[in-house]
Amino acid sequence: MRPRERAAGVLLHISSLPGKEGIGTLGESAYRFADFLKKSGARYWQVLPLVQTGFGDSPYQSVFTSSGNPYFIDLFALVKEGLLKRREIAPVCRGGKVDYGFLYREKYKVLRLAFSRFDISDLDFVSFVGRGEFEDYALYMAIKQKSGNKSFDLWEKRFKYRDAAALASFKEENKGEYLFWLFLQYKFFAQWNALKSYVNGLGIRIVGDIPLYVAADSADVWANPRLFKLKNNLKPKKVAGVPPDYFSATGQLWGNPVYNWKVHEAEGFVWWCERIRRAFAMYDTVRIDHFRGFDRFYEIDAGEDSAINGRWKRGPGMALFAAVKEKLGKLDFIAEDLGTLDAGVYRLMRRAGYPGMKVIQFAFDGNPKNPYLPENIGENSVCYTGTHDNDTMVGYLSGLNAEGLQYFYRRMKEQFRKLGIARRFSGVKGAAKAAAELAFASEAYLAVLPMQDIMLTGSDTRMNTPSVPVGNWQYRLRALPSDKEAEELYELTRSYGRL
């Protein structure tokens, strides 16, 4: 395999951008953040799934896996288009952490007002609708709204089981609602494609993220029930999760329906190929979340209170990725290979050839063979200080007792010596900066820092705490990073040959 060019990246979700609206958007701050990345020498911007979130607000639980999140639509751009007046977007303007309940109440009102002024005969929009890529999504959302936001398994039978005549009649009678949801996707992708073009023009690639699983209440499951392990009433029979691990003593009970892989394989993995095609239309590189589930996945009986009593089942393995390569060619994937791994996962990783993930926070357990130790990290890897599921480095180190902190310091200093680097550091923030340096010093072709670990912020800026149902996905920058922070990141990037 030809050596990959060393590079650096930054992890920051769109929702975490600063700005005048109650959530980060695809507007001015996104463009200025791209400028910061350019100044810092970073050539990758990693985001979380850009999908429309559902109940629980997680980007890993979407109403449709290929959707764009309407919350990210820049309302100020709609003002420039004449669809809104500045005073009309005032109710959505607020700072602080993301409040999804507020957004649901207020932003959709403003977006509906914009749609009421939109010319649905616009040729670009007509072409967008005609491609039919969001047909199931738009119908699903329209019926959901008319059904009091109930889960689709509680809809009238004619809609629940997709009676063709009933759906055609509903679409005709509720054309405005149906077209509203298409309008949201049309505007999202127009803004996203413009931003991506700008970012790529700066020489920066966007790393997107696709979850392994889909939400139980989603257009994906509603339109394709045969692809999932469901009961006759379309409720999940088996659900996904992971056994007890670093993050939770009782495991993680995600609740997503697991795939009926036999049906997927019999159909030539068509659904997955289309999903991945659309992901690469949005991103330059795709991180596949929970990659280990393609080798073996953990399924739990629906109705269980925890993930303790689950069972491991065989996944599609290399057959899926061979089908993807045959249909779509060679693609730039990153495999999220964290969690409970075994020989089968490692074999699949080797056969696929995808780079895996290495996390500095997991490195210092005293095991000299720990794969996350910088000295053990190979080139075909992406190295992070932490992911969106970890505490920030400052938060993590602040949570250690005095003995644990000294142990972490000692082990990090050993790593610097083994890498032939003379380095001294002190204090929590000094150690957090040193951890970032270790990631950049590693042989991994790509080193990625969460924005929190560049700005050295604490646990109050953590993005997600697995198995904790509230308080997640709310982190937001108060302001764009400064020139000083860009200069410091540039120097770190230059020092370790990642420009």
Side-chain angles (χ1 to χ4, degrees):
M1 183 184 296
R2 190 178 65 171
R4 302 187 68 160
E5 191 174 16
R6 286 170 67 78
V10 175
L11 168 59
L12 183 76
H13 195 34
I14 297 297
S15 65
S16 299
L17 288 165
K20 296 179 180 179
E21 296 184 43
I23 192 171
T25 72
L26 303 175
E28 184 67 17
S29 285
Y31 287 82
R32 300 294 73 82
F33 183 74
D35 293 339
F36 159 78
L37 294 177
K38 179 67 174 178
K39 289 178 186 175
S40 72
R43 283 184 284 139
Y44 288 80
W45 177 0
Q46 182 172 335
V47 296
L48 302 184
L50 296 179
V51 291
Q52 179 178 325
T53 51
F55 181 77
D57 311 314
S58 169
Y60 294 88
Q61 296 276 0
S62 176
V63 299
F64 182 49
T65 57
S66 297
S67 63
N69 195 336
Y71 292 156
F72 296 161
I73 295 173
D74 174 30
L75 297 181
F76 290 89
L78 301 188
V79 170
K80 289 180 180 177
E81 293 176 34
L83 297 176
L84 293 170
K85 297 179 174 61
R86 288 186 70 91
R87 60 179 172 77
E88 292 170 337
I89 65 176
V92 186
C93 295
R94 59 157 50 173
K97 290 186 175 183
V98 181
D99 181 340
Y100 290 94
F102 164 81
L103 288 169
Y104 183 77
R105 292 190 304 271
E106 299 299 332
K107 186 148 188 174
Y108 278 119
K109 288 181 187 176
V110 179
L111 288 169
R112 285 184 181 277
L113 181 60
F115 174 64
S116 72
R117 296 167 180 159
F118 178 70
D119 180 7
I120 61 173
S121 66
D122 176 272
L123 292 179
D124 285 343
F125 180 64
V126 170
S127 176
F128 177 86
V129 173
R131 290 198 293 273
E133 292 187 337
F134 293 93
E135 175 74 6
D136 288 326
Y137 158 85
L139 273 173
Y140 166 86
M141 289 305 303
I143 297 172
K144 193 173 184 65
Q145 291 298 306
K146 296 294 182 177
S147 301
N149 270 318
K150 293 178 183 176
S151 174
F152 82 82
D153 57 281
L154 300 176
W155 292 352
E156 294 178 42
K157 285 186 177 181
R158 59 189 179 130
F159 298 141
K160 173 180 173 178
Y161 293 105
R162 295 177 60 86
D163 177 82
L167 293 182
S169 177
F170 176 89
K171 180 177 171 181
E172 185 61 32
E173 293 169 4
N174 299 274
K175 192 172 183 179
E177 185 68 17
Y178 163 80
L179 288 176
F180 168 68
W181 295 102
L182 289 172
F183 164 79
L184 296 184
Q185 294 305 308
Y186 174 69
K187 285 300 177 186
F188 171 89
F189 279 97
Q191 292 188 4
W192 171 252
N193 290 336
L195 174 63
K196 183 176 182 295
S197 178
Y198 181 82
V199 173
N200 289 163
L202 296 176
I204 298 166
R205 294 172 64 84
I206 293 180
V207 181
D209 193 322
I210 61 171
L212 169 58
Y213 293 112
V214 304
D217 183 20
S218 65
D220 302 281
V221 178
W222 175 62
N224 306 281
R226 71 193 183 285
L227 299 179
F228 303 88
K229 292 186 178 181
L230 306 178
K231 300 174 184 176
N232 290 336
N233 62 5
L234 301 188
K235 292 182 182 293
K237 183 186 299 182
K238 304 286 185 180
V239 296
V242 291
D245 61 7
Y246 168 87
F247 291 111
S248 173
T250 58
Q252 297 177 44
L253 183 62
W254 297 333
N256 310 74
V258 297
Y259 295 106
N260 188 332
W261 284 116
K262 290 182 180 178
V263 175
H264 282 270
E265 187 165 15
E267 296 183 359
F269 300 106
V270 171
W271 183 87
W272 266 99
C273 289
E274 176 60 13
R275 183 183 181 191
I276 288 172
R277 182 195 69 77
R278 294 176 72 157
F280 275 95
M282 291 181 71
Y283 312 118
D284 303 300
T285 301
V286 170
R287 171 191 178 272
I288 307 175
D289 189 60
H290 197 58
F291 185 83
R292 75 101 51 246
F294 292 104
D295 176 61
R296 288 196 304 148
F297 61 95
Y298 194 70
E299 70 173 26
I300 306 133
D301 289 339
E304 286 280 335
D305 294 329
S306 77
I308 292 175
N309 296 321
R311 297 177 183 84
W312 288 103
K313 297 288 185 178
R314 180 62 57 192
M318 198 59 204
L320 168 60
F321 299 107
V324 169
K325 186 175 182 180
E326 181 182 352
K327 289 186 172 73
L328 303 176
K330 188 176 180 181
L331 299 171
D332 191 15
F333 285 113
I334 296 170
E336 190 269 294
D337 56 341
L338 307 177
T340 306
L341 305 182
D342 55 26
V345 185
Y346 292 122
R347 278 196 303 271
L348 180 58
M349 289 286 292
R350 285 194 300 271
R351 290 187 67 192
Y354 305 149
M357 292 174 57
K358 309 299 178 186
V359 179
I360 297 295
Q361 275 191 33
F362 298 154
F364 303 107
D365 62 356
N367 176 10
K369 295 184 179 180
N370 185 314
Y372 305 118
L373 280 171
E375 65 175 305
N376 295 334
I377 296 174
E379 179 196 339
N380 195 33
S381 304
V382 182
C383 188
Y384 299 78
T385 45
T387 73
H388 64 274
D389 283 332
N390 290 91
D391 201 346
T392 68
M393 276 307 303
V394 167
Y396 171 75
L397 293 167
S398 298
L400 297 176
N401 59 29
E403 183 180 358
L405 194 59
Q406 288 305 313
Y407 177 82
F408 198 90
Y409 285 5
R410 189 166 63 252
R411 291 299 186 189
M412 283 210 298
K413 288 174 181 177
E414 287 176 4
Q415 284 298 300
F416 277 116
R417 284 196 297 271
K418 289 182 179 180
L419 294 169
I421 301 169
R423 184 68 68 245
R424 290 184 177 182
F425 56 87
S426 62
V428 164
K429 289 192 174 181
K433 291 180 74 172
E437 187 171 356
L438 280 176
F440 275 57
S442 74
E443 289 189 12
Y445 84 92
L446 177 58
V448 177
L449 299 181
M451 196 63 219
Q452 298 96 314
D453 291 350
I454 294 171
M455 304 188 80
L456 301 175
T457 54
S459 297
D460 59 323
T461 63
R462 181 173 183 164
M463 190 60 161
N464 180 51
T465 305
S467 297
V468 174
V470 295
N472 295 318
W473 319 111
Q474 298 176 355
Y475 164 64
R476 199 164 177 213
L477 285 170
R478 293 180 181 177
L480 288 166
S482 66
D483 286 343
K484 180 176 180 293
E485 285 153 339
E487 290 166 6
E488 289 179 352
L489 184 55
Y490 181 92
E491 183 57 29
L492 182 63
T493 305
R494 184 198 63 78
S495 298
Y496 290 101
R498 296 185 178 277
L499 286 179

